[in-house]
Amino acid sequence: MGKRIYWWGAAVFGIFWLVVSAVAQAVEETATVTAAPAELKIANRSIFTFRASLLGESPEVRARRAKAVIDEVLDGTEDLNVRLTTIQNSYLVLLGDHRAFIVSTQDVDAPDRSVQEAAEDAAQRLRQVVAESQEARSLHFLLIAGGLTVVATLFYIALLRLLSWAHQRALSWLPMRMQQHTRSLKIGQTQLVDFRNFFPLVRRLLALLYWSLVLLLTYQWLTFVLQRFPYTRPWGESLNQYLLELVRYLVDAVVSAVPGIVIALLIFFIARGFSAFSKRLLERLSRPGTITWLTKETLQPTTRLTSLAIWLFAVAMAYPYLPGAGTEAFKGLSVLIGLMISLGASSVVGQAAAGLILTYTRTLRPGEFVRVGDYEGTVTEVGMFTTTIRTGLGEVLTLPNSMITGSVTKNYSRVVQGQGYVVDTTVTIGYDTPWRQVEAMLLEAAQRTPGVLQMPRPQVFQTALSDFYPEYRLVAQAVPSEPRPRAELLTMLHANIQDVFNEYGVQIMSPHYLGDPANAKWVPRERWFTPPAQAPRQQDEA
């Protein structure tokens, strides 16, 4: 009889083991990832995320069924013990005597995480939900949480009032202190910092600091209050976790950026040294007899170009080590800046290239008297983009360099001997006047004019034989090369030409020839000082 019972028990156990194995095998075979993941959330706390369909149930159905079972058990008075049971490679999470949910291998998304670890984490979160549900039903716990909330709120309000008082005190104390310190920051009698312009910036910085502290206190107060109550505790934990992750991210970013910043600074220091060395080297090479094209005029632009090339190379080398250089935002900003420069700086680059052409070809030099198109005057500055010319009438003309390179430039100072410039003027006299007489009168007028040099001697050229008159051009050299004296010199030269022609009874008139006039068109000497001409001029010439 005992043997029969033993064999019957062994048979029943074998059948049970076969059924359990078949169910586990079915669970493993039917657990497939065929639908969107579904999150199981109880009392605002995430328990587990289902990712696979199991026994014909989608993740959403599994989550909904598990939530219904857990809510029903939490609302009752049954045993709320949470434990795990294995079914081959899967785990069954039990809440009391009820099956809460099953964790299968297909529900685990991380390759380095086992299904056992996922099930234990889910069970731990479920235990926390059970504990929080019991706390939510405890009047004593809720009263303590409410008291802590009131105390935290009062402390929060007190801190806000203290912060506001400190802000107002700083605004009333800083102006006096800043005014005292800014008055002492002087170079000679010049004050470096104006208090009225500097204080608004300081006030905005104080306001920014004040509101940053207010937001931080509000964030911490809200996090503390939410963590006091079971239902809102997950929200408080998420806020606190977000702040910690943000601080950790900022600290990690700063620490990781330090080596790159150090390398970039080293590159910039090396570039600075190379720039200073190249400057000294170019100064030595610009000495007479070393390099012909490197002169006093081209030394400064050559030094600037060399320094610019060194710094551009340094920026290109340091770019990968700058913080955020590998981010898509930084790359997009670099592309945008490059596109803006390429589209908007074409004319600027053209002007700069024209300035380099003028500098290295030495077309113009400061102090030379030139004529560019319809403009003439003394060159005062040859810049990278523009050239400044001061006329004899006191006007300052700023000419684009591209205009100068694209037009004919007359230089009146380049061919002279020593300091000075070339002065010339043109008159047209009729054919009835001997050309030798005209040349002699023009040379005499040049001789009477102060500032016109006699060595080299002035010259007269007949530049054209027109239909009604020949054209005479007087060319001489004068000093100095200032624009205003040149205008005054031309005035005196023209006046002397008129005087000489009037003395010899030769009229300066170039009409189209129709017939001889009844009277000669010249001014006799007794009419030279007809009012409003002044008599002292006659005394000076006498």
Side-chain angles (χ1 to χ4, degrees), residues 201-509:
L201 176 62
V202 176
R203 184 174 56 189
R204 291 187 179 92
L205 292 177
L206 280 177
L208 178 62
L209 178 62
Y210 169 74
W211 286 110
S212 299
L213 293 176
V214 168
L215 291 177
L216 182 61
L217 287 176
T218 304
Y219 192 93
Q220 290 297 326
W221 170 80
L222 183 62
T223 301
F224 180 82
V225 171
L226 291 178
Q227 288 181 345
R228 297 310 99 199
F229 299 94
Y231 188 79
T232 59
R233 188 174 298 161
W235 297 342
E237 292 174 354
S238 62
L239 289 176
N240 197 18
Q241 185 67 23
Y242 175 76
L243 184 60
L244 292 177
E245 290 178 356
L246 179 61
V247 173
R248 188 183 300 111
Y249 171 78
L250 293 177
V251 173
D252 293 341
V254 171
V255 172
S256 61
V258 168
I261 294 176
V262 172
I263 295 176
L265 290 177
L266 289 177
I267 293 174
F268 290 145
F269 277 118
I270 295 173
R272 182 181 179 183
F274 272 104
S275 179
F277 173 76
S278 65
K279 181 180 179 180
R280 291 192 294 268
L281 179 62
L282 290 174
E283 288 177 352
R284 293 172 183 171
L285 294 177
S286 64
R287 295 172 181 174
T290 306
I291 298 179
T292 57
W293 59 268
L294 191 59
T295 60
K296 182 179 179 180
E297 292 81 8
T298 59
L299 175 61
Q300 185 176 5
T302 304
T303 304
R304 290 180 179 177
L305 289 175
T306 305
S307 179
L308 178 62
I310 292 173
W311 282 107
L312 287 177
F313 181 76
V315 170
M317 294 296 295
Y319 175 83
Y321 301 100
L322 296 177
T327 60
E328 296 298 329
F330 204 96
K331 295 178 181 178
L333 181 62
S334 303
V335 173
L336 178 62
I337 293 176
L339 183 62
M340 293 173 61
I341 293 176
S342 61
L343 293 178
S346 57
S347 60
V348 177
V349 174
Q351 297 291 348
L356 294 177
I357 293 173
L358 293 178
T359 301
Y360 285 98
T361 58
R362 285 176 276 181
T363 304
L364 303 176
R365 296 176 184 174
E368 293 181 339
F369 194 91
V370 298
R371 183 179 181 88
V372 181
D374 297 332
Y375 309 101
E376 67 176 15
T378 301
V379 178
T380 57
E381 182 182 1
V382 180
M384 180 171 290
F385 303 104
T386 59
T387 297
T388 304
I389 294 178
R390 190 168 69 246
T391 66
L393 301 178
E395 301 170 335
V396 177
L397 305 179
T398 302
L399 305 180
N401 288 334
S402 58
M403 170 189 171
I404 299 176
T405 56
S407 60
V408 177
T409 301
K410 295 181 180 180
N411 196 320
Y412 296 100
S413 302
R414 189 64 57 86
V415 297
V416 301
Q417 299 177 3
Q419 186 181 9
Y421 54 90
V422 174
V423 60
D424 64 331
T425 187
T426 302
V427 294
T428 54
I429 308 299
Y431 284 103
D432 54 347
T433 303
W435 63 268
R436 295 177 181 85
Q437 182 186 14
V438 175
E439 289 185 3
M441 288 188 294
L442 290 175
L443 293 175
E444 184 176 349
Q447 186 177 5
R448 293 184 183 182
T449 305
V452 174
L453 299 179
Q454 300 304 316
M455 291 299 295
R457 294 179 59 82
Q459 292 180 294
V460 178
F461 301 92
Q462 296 187 38
T463 57
L465 297 176
S466 302
D467 292 338
F468 306 106
Y469 45 78
E471 184 175 300
Y472 302 90
R473 185 174 184 180
L474 173 64
V475 180
Q477 183 174 335
V479 291
S481 57
E482 293 295 329
R484 184 62 184 174
R486 186 180 190 276
E488 295 175 354
L489 186 141
L490 282 175
T491 299
M492 291 187 293
L493 179 61
H494 292 158
N496 289 328
I497 290 175
Q498 296 181 63
D499 291 344
V500 172
F501 274 67
N502 288 328
E503 287 178 3
Y504 292 99
V506 178
Q507 66 178 0
I508 303 177
M509 184 175 179

